[in-house]
Amino acid sequence: MAEFTMELNDEQKEVRDWLHGFAADVIRPAAAEWDEREETPWPVIQEAAKVGIYSLDFYAQQYFDPTGLGIPMAMEELFWGDAGIALSIVGTGLAAVGVLANGTEEQIGTWIPQMYGDQNDVKVAAFCSSEPDAGSDVASMRTRAVYDEAKDEWVINGTKTWATNGGIAGVHVVVACVDPELGSKGHASFIVPPGTPGLAQGQKFKKHGIRASHTAEVILDNVRVPGSCLLGGKEKLDERLARAREKAKAGGMGVPPAGGWGSVKNAAMATFEASRPAVGAMAVGTARAAYEVALDYARTREQFGRPIIDNQGVAFQLADMRTQIDAARLLVWRASWMAVNGRPFTAAEGSMSKLFASETAKKVTAQAIQILGGNGYTREYPVERMHRDSAIYTIFEGTSEIQRLVIARTLAGMPIR
């Protein structure tokens, strides 16, 4: 087990500097254009693939970093460049995490490489969980998967929404209900391979921020997938459902499992638990970018014969911004280290990291606009875009209100659903 550290090693620093260079030289110059176009920045994704950033190998190296700092460090640097483009580059990772969290070794080896394609034929993947009537309330999920035993196929019907890369992805990972009576315990995840009949893109959303990232509905109309596309396999699913039914018959919550109620997982929660600290790192990257713009502006902008940073009102804002960013990063790093070293989130440390970092990003980007004044309110400076982008962190993969609920239930010793 790696010891927790706040110091990157030489290899991590080298990767960080490489990512920072790509973010500065490739992502930032393209940010305003793709924000205005509201389209997937395929040329930038392809550039990322050419240098090895958009690849299974790169994310595997960061994911299996024993310190746990590889993924948050990478997310911070890329989102420092631009949140919309960075999400287009890393959005496939959520689907990949869904497979890693729930799939067998064979499924991981088969499907994750197909999610990325190669530098000459770049692909993206989508993770589909939220629905029009089931976002934070995953137990209300209506998408159904019914097993056709005669053909060893699962038949999936439903509508997913807010899916990053939804409809344009090759591989879709879909969370569906297989036993409605069990609520969220009756969910399972499925691979929908490229070109599967019955899957179609619905509405594409025009968004307030992260506009270079494609977000859309996914319609599933009698989508048939082989039995081998059930992540984890049917035997494992049947065992899990049987345990859930026995608990339901016994009534009540029963005895907490090893590791406490915070260790209970379902198909969607397993993915979100693994990804929430990474979302926190994205928020840190956006907050840091806005802070640096504001700091540079405050040092060079003169009013009343001196730089505005000499005014205590501005200097104190910058001091608070830097303090909050560093605190958010430390919470993200702690949660990431705990996750990779198998430490249970007994106080919902993953949710803590996302909650604090996402709220920090909204606050810091708003302060950056205030420091730039009228300039900050225009598109001539990037902080207005960063502020628009930052709003998503308090919404996707669990709103700030849901994070607080998760933390509160964990502290109270109640199960997380």
Side-chain angles (χ1 to χ4, degrees):
M1 180 181 294
E3 293 185 0
F4 178 67
T5 177
M6 293 182 289
E7 180 68 28
L8 298 178
N9 59 40
D10 290 342
E11 183 177 349
Q12 289 168 329
K13 290 177 181 177
E14 185 177 340
V15 172
R16 178 199 61 192
D17 294 344
W18 171 54
L19 291 169
H20 186 81
F22 183 84
D25 297 339
V26 180
I27 294 178
R28 278 207 170 177
E33 175 188 351
W34 291 100
D35 178 71
E36 292 288 344
R37 291 175 63 168
E38 298 191 53
E39 297 175 357
T40 301
W42 289 107
V44 183
I45 298 174
Q46 190 161 26
E47 286 300 311
K50 286 180 180 179
V51 299
I53 293 173
Y54 187 77
S55 70
L56 172 61
D57 288 345
F58 173 73
Y59 286 106
Q61 290 173 9
Q62 306 314 312
Y63 186 85
F64 292 109
D65 181 340
T67 70
L69 303 185
I71 288 293
M73 176 266 295
M75 295 301 104
E76 179 177 338
E77 293 304 327
L78 292 173
F79 280 73
W80 172 90
D82 176 68
I85 291 178
L87 190 57
S88 289
I89 293 173
V90 308
T92 293
L94 185 58
V97 168
V99 176
L100 285 168
N102 301 295
T104 64
E105 289 187 8
E106 182 179 356
Q107 289 170 331
I108 291 169
T110 299
W111 294 111
I112 293 184
Q114 294 187 46
M115 293 179 174
Y116 290 94
D118 58 49
Q119 59 181 298
N120 297 315
D121 187 20
V122 171
K123 305 291 185 183
V124 295
F127 181 75
C128 307
S129 177
S130 293
E131 299 182 1
D133 297 318
S136 299
D137 182 11
V138 294
S140 298
M141 189 175 292
R142 295 182 180 179
T143 298
R144 298 287 184 262
V146 178
Y147 185 56
D148 183 342
E149 189 171 358
K151 295 185 177 180
D152 185 27
E153 291 179 340
W154 288 89
V155 184
I156 308 173
N157 283 280
T159 299
K160 295 297 183 178
T161 193
W162 311 124
T164 298
N165 298 329
I168 66 170
V171 176
H172 289 75
V173 178
V174 176
V175 182
C177 183
V178 296
D179 190 332
E181 294 182 0
L182 295 176
S184 62
K185 300 291 193 300
H187 294 174
S189 290
F190 299 86
I191 291 287
V192 180
T196 300
L199 184 146
Q201 179 183 311
Q203 175 188 4
K204 178 186 175 182
F205 296 103
K206 287 186 172 294
K207 305 187 299 294
H208 175 65
I210 55 166
R211 301 198 304 194
S213 174
H214 176 95
T215 310
E217 289 181 330
V218 174
I219 312 299
L220 302 124
D221 182 13
N222 287 322
V223 170
R224 284 183 169 268
V225 299
S228 59
C229 287
L230 166 64
L231 290 179
K234 194 168 187 304
E235 182 178 349
K236 184 177 178 181
L237 172 65
D238 288 342
E239 291 175 356
R240 179 165 62 80
L241 295 178
R243 289 195 301 270
R245 292 185 189 111
E246 285 300 315
K247 285 186 179 180
K249 287 180 182 178
M253 295 186 297
V255 179
W261 282 114
S263 65
V264 175
K265 294 182 179 180
N266 61 46
M269 286 298 294
T271 301
F272 292 144
E273 281 185 14
S275 62
R276 278 174 176 162
V279 175
M282 298 173 189
V284 171
T286 300
R288 189 184 112 210
Y291 159 76
E292 289 177 1
V293 173
L295 177 62
D296 182 64
Y297 187 87
R299 285 171 170 168
T300 57
R301 171 70 168 173
E302 290 192 2
Q303 290 288 280
F304 305 107
R306 60 180 182 174
I308 62 173
I309 198 171
D310 288 351
N311 297 311
Q312 193 175 78
V314 173
F316 279 14
Q317 282 193 73
L318 290 163
D320 286 344
M321 292 160 73
R322 175 60 185 268
T323 300
Q324 290 158 4
I325 291 167
D326 282 11
R329 183 184 296 108
L330 291 176
L331 283 172
V332 167
W333 283 16
R334 179 185 69 168
S336 300
W337 174 84
M338 291 176 67
V340 81
N341 285 286
R343 297 289 183 91
F345 289 164
T346 55
E349 289 87 351
S351 289
M352 283 185 186
S353 69
K354 181 186 181 296
L355 171 64
F356 189 82
S358 59
E359 293 291 343
T360 293
K362 282 185 68 174
K363 184 176 181 180
V364 166
T365 54
Q367 287 176 303
I369 291 176
Q370 192 67 24
I371 289 172
L372 269 68
N375 286 327
Y377 199 65
T378 72
R379 295 187 184 181
E380 296 300 313
Y381 288 80
V383 290
E384 69 84 27
R385 183 179 71 250
M386 294 168 182
H387 185 51
R388 286 189 285 109
D389 291 342
S390 70
I392 194 60
Y393 301 127
T394 64
I395 298 172
F396 70 177
E397 295 198 46
T399 64
S400 288
E401 291 74 22
I402 288 297
Q403 305 309 321
R404 291 185 176 98
L405 179 63
V406 169
I407 295 165
R409 291 181 71 89
T410 304
L411 297 179
M414 299 171 69
I416 299 172
R417 296 194 294 268

